[in-house]
Amino acid sequence: MLKIDSLENGIVIDHIKSGNGMKLYNLLGLDKLDCCVAVIKNAKSNKYGKKDIIKIDGVSNVNLDILGFVDNNVTVCYIENGELVRKEKPTLPEKLTNILKCKNPRCISNAEDDIDHIFYLSDVNSHKYRCIYCEQEYTDKH
């Protein structure tokens, strides 16, 4: 069995749908951090069968909008001095800014460098987002 040590200070993102761990790793920009990051894929889960887990050493915050967008069933555990001090469950964000890019080549967000890429939640039940400028629906299999 693989053993990953517990954190003294940092964040554990738990209950990630199996297969979404690396997507979160990339969207959160964890490769740019100068700290220890562990991505555990396909860990056993009594509730889900399999799950992914991300442990980030020495970090005290993470973008909850990205987490809620990719998988709003995750649990974010904040660890200080080896103890769990707080748990959060991100929600599906109403608006995403500079997380997604519009795929419409004629959209102003692609034509102008200084315009933010902003998407709004257009359908809560199906988790669909649309560009605020051109109404292009964001499509991605996640």
Side-chain angles (χ1 to χ4, degrees), residues 2-70:
L2 178 66
K3 180 171 171 30
I4 305 289
D5 287 337
S6 59
L7 294 177
E8 186 64 26
N9 293 293
I11 293 176
V12 176
I13 305 168
D14 199 0
H15 305 108
I16 303 167
K17 182 179 176 186
S18 183
N20 281 344
M22 288 308 295
K23 181 174 187 162
L24 281 174
Y25 178 87
N26 292 323
L27 282 172
L28 291 169
L30 299 179
D31 59 324
K32 295 170 183 66
L33 295 178
D34 189 27
C35 64
C36 185
V37 177
V39 178
I40 301 133
K41 295 176 61 176
N42 299 318
K44 289 181 186 177
S45 168
N46 292 333
K47 190 173 186 180
Y48 300 110
K50 290 182 185 178
K51 66 179 179 179
D52 291 353
I53 304 167
I54 299 176
K55 292 185 175 190
I56 313 165
D57 185 40
V59 170
S60 60
N61 63 10
V62 67
N63 188 324
L64 294 176
D65 283 346
I66 291 174
L67 294 175
F69 166 67
V70 174

Side-chain angles (χ1 to χ4, degrees), residues 106-117:
R106 295 180 308 213
C107 181
I108 192 167
S109 65
N110 290 317
E112 301 288 332
D113 289 336
D114 59 341
I115 293 188
D116 288 332
H117 294 264

